[in-house]
Structure formats: C-alpha cells, structure tokens
Amino acid sequence: MARPKSATSSFWTAVWSIVWKDLRIEQHTRQTMSVMLMFSLVVVVMFNFALSTDLDAARQVSTGLLWATIILAGTLGLNRSLSIERENQTIDALLIAPVDRRGIYLAKVISVTIFTLLLEVALVFIFTIFFNKPFWQPAALLVLFLGTIGYVAAGVLITSMTIQTRSREVLLPILLLPIVLPLILPAAIATAEIVSLQPQMDTVNSSISLIAAYDLAILAVGFFSYPFLVES
Amino acid sequence: MNMTRLNRTVTILNVLAFLSLLVSIGFIFLYAPIERSMGNVQRIFYFHVGTAWVGSIAFFVALVAGALYLWRPQRRWDTIALSSVEVGLVFLTVTTAAGSVWGKPAWNTWWEWSPRLTLITIAWLVYAAYFMLRGAIEDEEKRGRFAAVYVIVSFVSIILAYVSIRIWRDIHPVVFGGTLESAQGAEQGLQDIAPGLASMRMGITLTVNVVSFSLIYLAWLMNRIRLQMLKDEVTTLKMRVAARLQGG
Amino acid sequence: MIQIAGLVKNYGVTPVLRGVQLHVAAGEFVTLVGPNGAGKSTLMRIVATLLKPTAGEVKIGGWALPQHGDRVRRYIGLVSHQTLLYGDLTAAENLHFYARLYSVPDAEARIGRALKQVGLAARQRDPVRTFSRGMMQRLTIARATLHEPEVLLLDEPYTGLDQDAAQLLDDLLLREQGNGRTILLITHDLVHGLDLCDRIAILNRGKIVVSLNSQEVTSGEFLELYAAHTGRKEVTGGK
C-alpha cells in the first residue's frame, strides 16, 4: 500500500496539497482577502481622518501606519486560516493523515503569507497614492516580503495556540504583537528610510539582515515546536 | 526533590539572600565612591544593573525549563519555568523603575523611547502575556506544553531585539561587553569610570551586587517553586476528596 | 490488528482510562459501547494517534503508539462525530485533497467510484456546506475509506442520521467488513451495534468490563448485562 516515495518529496506533496486546499477555499469564499482588505481600508481612512489637520504629519507616520495595518489585518487572516481547521475539526484529519506535522505548519505559513502579500500589493498601491511616497520601490518590496514571512511564521505558531484556548481571537493580538515587535521595528525603520528623500543604505542593510535573522530564527522555532502544539 | 529537603534549602537560601542584601546595601552606601559627575544618585546603578542581570538569567532559566518540558513533559519543568518568568518579571519591573529614577537626573527625563527602553517594554509585554496564555488554558498538560513553546519563542524574539539594539545607536550605555557605537552613549549615562582606586571600588560593589541579586533570585525562585508544589498537592488532595465523596 | 494492554489516560489528575485491555483481530468487527464519560472517545482518539496514552501499550499492526504514529497513520481511517470535511470545498475537492495527502494512486478514478458508492456523484460539484447531515456523513465515509485503510475507526457515526442514511451506512460498513477491514465502532445504540459486529465490548469507568462474541448473546440478554455492569438503562432500539 505504501508507495515507494522519498520522504522529502512526500513531505512537499503534503505541504503543497494543504496550500492548494487553502487557496481553493479562498477562491470559493474570498472571505480572508475581503475581510483583510476592508479592515485595512477602514484603518487607513480612520488614521487619515485623525491626522487630517496636518498632511505632513500623516506622511511622516505613513510607514508606521503601513506596518500597523499589515500586522492588524494579518491577525484577521491568521485567525481565519487556522479556524477553518477547527470548524469541522479538520485539523484531526490532517493529524491522522500520514503527514509530518511540521509540514502542516509550513503549509499554513505559506498560505497565510500568500494572502498577506496579496493584501500588501493593494496596500502599497493605496499608500503610494494617499501619501505620495514611493512604496513600490524594489527595496521596500523586499522589506515587506521578508517582514511578512517572519510575521506570519510567528503568527501561525501563536495562533495555533490561541485558537485552542478559551479566549481564542481575543488573546491573539496580546500574545503576537509583542513577539513580532522586534521584527516590525527594523522593518518600519527600513521602510521609512527607503521611501525618504535621501535613504541611508547602511541603516537599510542592517535592518534587512535583522529581519532575515528573525525570519530564520522564528521559522526554525516554529517548525520544530509546532508538533507540540497539536498533539496531546 | 522531596518536600523536607526543599523546605530546608528554602530556609537556608532565605537567610543567605537576606544577609547578602544587607551586605550589598552596605557596599553601595559605605564602600562605593561618590561618582564624579552625578553624585550620590549614581548609587542606584548597582541596583539597576543587579536586577537587570537577574532578569535576563531568570528568562534564560525559563527557556531551558521550557525546552526540558518539551523534551520530557514533567510537571516540575513547567513549575520552574512559571516561577522563573514570574520572578524575572518582578526583577524586570524593578530594573525599569530604578532606571527611570536614575534617568531623570541623567537624561533629564523619566522615559525615553530609545531602542533599549523599547526593548525592555517589549520584553515586559511578552512575558506579561505569558500569564494571559496560561490563564486561558484549563488543561494542565496542555498549559505546560503551550507555555513551554511560548517561552522559547519569546526568548528568541527578545534575543533578536537585543541584537538589534546593539546595532543601532542608543542613548543608553552598554555595561556588559560594550561596542564602539555605544561608547558615546556611555558618556551620557554612566560617565567615564573614575580611574584607579575609585573605579576598582565601583567594580567590586557591582560584582557584590550581581552576586547577591543572583542569590536573592535563587531564594525567591525556590520559594515560588515550593509554593507551586504545595498548591499542586492541595489540588490533588481536593480531587481525592471529591472522588471519595462521589463514592469512587 | 489492534492490541491495547493496560492503557491508562489521565487528563491532569483525572483518570479517564484506567487499564483498558482490548484486542481486535485482523478483519474483526468490534463494537464498543458504554455510558457517557466512560472514555470511549478518548480511547478512539488514542487509537487514531490523536492522543498520547499516559501509560500502557497500544499497538496497531504491530507498531507501538505513539512512537510509530507516522507509520500507523497510513493504515487507519477515522469517522468521528465531526465530519472532518471542508464546508467551503466541493465534495470532489474534499476527496481530491485527502487523496493527495495519502498519495492515493489513480486518484481520479477512485474518487469517481467512491462518490458513486455513497450516492453523491450528482452533487460532487456542490460545496459540502450545502449538504444535509446524512449526505455529509456519507461523504465522510468515502473520505475515510478513500485510501483503503486496513483499520476503520468509527466514533458515533450514526449521530444525526435519518433512517435511509443509517441504512446506507450499515450497507457501507458491511461491505467494508467484507473487504477484510478491521472495524472498531463506538455507538450508543446497543442493539444495532450488537447486530453489526463480531464482538461487542462494554467500557465503563475507563475499563473494559465485558467482551463477548455477538453470537453468544441475544439482544435482550445483552441489555440486561449492560444494565448490570453500568447501572444504567440505555435508550435502545430507535434513534
């Protein structure tokens, strides 16, 4: 019955089938993307309103606002992605399938990252227009990309915990936001530097290496500790 | 560890911790020289650094206990991790308070959103959230597992934040293993350590403080562990009584 | 096929299973009954590799759990009270997904056959959330047997099924049994459970208190036996 297949190839088959499944669900419902996008728009408009007396001030805080929007909208995406598996307890089906549990973690990181990156495409567009700053620059996109990976890597791990507690959605931001601050701070600083008139490239470079280090470290921790969160 | 041995250890540690606190206070006020530019207020430095040192040790102990729990899920590792985070958080709070009191004369402000102070705030939030996580989980075994994973993630995250403040310039001086960038910050904060004898006296006072705060940490940790063990015992007894009453 | 010896499971300090002994031979159909809170579902989750035992021995096909969970998983199929289906995917997509997870060979043909067997071929392109409870349960069976598991675990599969759906499930189970599957069924319905199985066991307060061949006992006798061991009269017969 067991077909001769190498362990790595069946690992990745499982990862991609879970990603495929998540994308398929999103294709049918469009719930995650629409909720994240709507929420982001509300946040942007709200902050613009709050800062409208001073357009320069709004421009100054725009990078911070961009990242704040991403991480807040991200919690919605994370909650949605992991609560899908709790609706009909499909997480059990994943756990009894001959799939490495770490593969489940990786698949969830990949699918939420895809959703968040799609959101960021829209946000970069919106922010460039609203705040008249070049958020579309390759370096800024790289920071967004790397930052998102680390954020989602920590997010999937923390959400897998909070989703199994009594307080569920409420607990996620309290646990997740402090954990990702060490990532978001350099990311926001680097982004601000890139879109400024005279970017200081050494600040950007050191920030990018910090972000990359965070990505790798949290991915590794998540990869190896996720199995402990789903088996009792 | 059995209860009588633990009780004895706790008593000895309590006495030692108390004595070492007296000794370190003595060193701070009687032995350490008056710092040249800031005067007597600089003496809070020894408390500040001592408690900060203990804070990082406490969180490191929690990390190790968490990893051990995942490796061999035994109740005691969870107890040690919990106790250490709790004590560590208290020390972190003391560090911040002492730093703030010192910051007022040194920087002319209680608080500054400099990278290092931001880091402390993050660390405080991260470890305070640890208790929220624990509080939200009923099942003891699951709570232990989740808390262990969380304590590992948070430590990694704090370490990365620590690395990042080493890279950025900061108003706050670096005491242990300072780098070039932070040297100019040191001038504003600690001031140049007085040469010769005075400097040596400061160093000795600092060492005495670090040692005695470590002792206080150890005593406190053991007290907290003992408390948790007693709590667990009470729970077990309650369960047994309940089972007996139900006719089990 | 399934060997359980001295199985203990505690939740914190509360014991749920206190030394369960159960052997299920290859190809055997065993029904497990017992009052609520006896630990039936816990036992099932342990056999399904979802829970780790506190102590004792659980072996499936000779592989010990939980150490060899990853070897065992390919050979088990689980039907629990949850459907384990994605409501937002269509019936066919659900099966495709599981076929991929289990790397089922010749998936397309097998999925077509499975859908026909459970009478859902016509609805295969509809999202599962629009299905009735009975249809979902049929699809659940198709899902659980898609990779042709040697051991089929069913935890209260009859919950919420109407007469027709229950009949269909009976037929499916008998066919699976005919295919040589080892089946462990948990149910509330004593008489029905007794009719289907080769052997029936009663789990009470975390222990197997009775285990006998279903031919040895009439349903009336079994009901008395059940009442005597659990101190409870279960609702029997109808749903």
Side-chain angles (χ1 to χ4, degrees), chain A residues 24 28 85 88 101 232, chain C residues 45 52 73 85-86 93:
Chain A
R24 248 308 148 77
H28 286 312
E85 308 293 350
N88 289 324
R101 275 91 201 263
S232 40
Chain C
R45 286 180 75 80
K52 284 182 185 158
R73 285 187 192 111
L85 295 168
Y86 293 94
E93 282 169 342

Side-chain angles (χ1 to χ4, degrees), chain A residues 157-158 160-162 164-167 171 174-175 178-182 185-186 189 203 206-207 210 213-214 217-218 221 225 228-232, chain B residues 70-71 118 122 125-126 129-130 132-133 135-139 141-142 145-147 149-150 152-154 156-158 160-161 163-165 167-168:
Chain A
L157 193 67
I158 301 289
S160 303
M161 290 187 211
T162 56
Q164 297 182 59
T165 65
R166 273 183 291 131
S167 8
L171 201 55
I174 298 175
L175 292 187
I179 294 265
V180 295
L181 271 177
L185 289 181
I189 288 172
T203 310
S206 63
S207 296
L210 280 174
Y214 186 98
I218 296 290
V221 171
S225 60
F228 294 104
L229 299 180
V230 287
E231 55 198 28
S232 40
Chain B
L70 292 184
W71 184 50
T118 310
I122 295 172
L125 286 172
V126 163
Y130 174 81
M132 316 243 6
L133 175 66
I137 307 170
E138 298 287 355
D139 181 53
E141 185 269 340
K142 188 167 151 191
R145 250 182 315 126
F146 283 22
V149 171
Y150 182 81
I152 294 172
V153 188
S154 27
V156 169
S157 159
I158 297 299
L160 288 161
V163 172
S164 68
I165 60 160
I167 292 179
W168 288 322

Side-chain angles (χ1 to χ4, degrees), chain B residues 80-103:
Chain B
I80 293 176
L82 166 66
S83 312
S84 204
V85 171
E86 212 173 286
V87 176
L89 200 59
V90 173
F91 274 96
L92 194 62
T93 312
V94 172
T95 309
T96 316
S100 201
V101 169
W102 190 20

Side-chain angles (χ1 to χ4, degrees), chain A residues 128-141:
Chain A
T128 308
I129 291 173
F130 276 19
F131 299 105
N132 192 23
K133 279 192 172 184
F135 284 105
W136 43 264
Q137 288 186 54
L141 297 183

Side-chain angles (χ1 to χ4, degrees), chain A residues 1-3 5 10 13-22 24-25 27-29 31 80 84-99 101 228 230-232, chain C residues 9 45 48-53 70 73-78 80 82-90 93 96-98 100-105 128-129 136 143 147-150:
Chain A
M1 205 189 286
R3 297 194 310 152
K5 224 179 171 190
S10 74
T13 312
V15 169
W16 290 118
S17 28
I18 297 172
V19 173
W20 171 85
K21 182 263 301 170
D22 280 352
R24 248 308 148 77
I25 290 178
Q27 192 196 338
H28 286 312
T29 64
Q31 222 178 24
R80 161 86 183 144
I84 281 176
E85 308 293 350
R86 298 277 155 188
E87 253 164 45
N88 289 324
Q89 209 53 32
T90 43
I91 184 76
D92 282 356
L94 299 182
L95 295 178
I96 59 164
V99 172
R101 275 91 201 263
F228 294 104
V230 287
E231 55 198 28
S232 40
Chain C
K9 176 71 188 178
R45 286 180 75 80
T49 74
L50 286 169
L51 268 182
K52 284 182 185 158
D70 40 346
R73 285 187 192 111
R74 191 171 292 279
Y75 303 105
I76 53 177
L78 172 71
S80 76
Q82 306 276 359
T83 61
L84 310 191
L85 295 168
Y86 293 94
D88 292 322
L89 292 182
T90 67
E93 282 169 342
H96 268 291
F97 173 57
Y98 287 107
R100 284 197 198 180
L101 280 192
Y102 285 89
S103 354
V104 170
V128 169
R129 89 185 109 76
M136 280 194 197
R143 190 220 74 220
H147 58 290
E148 303 188 335
E150 321 226 315

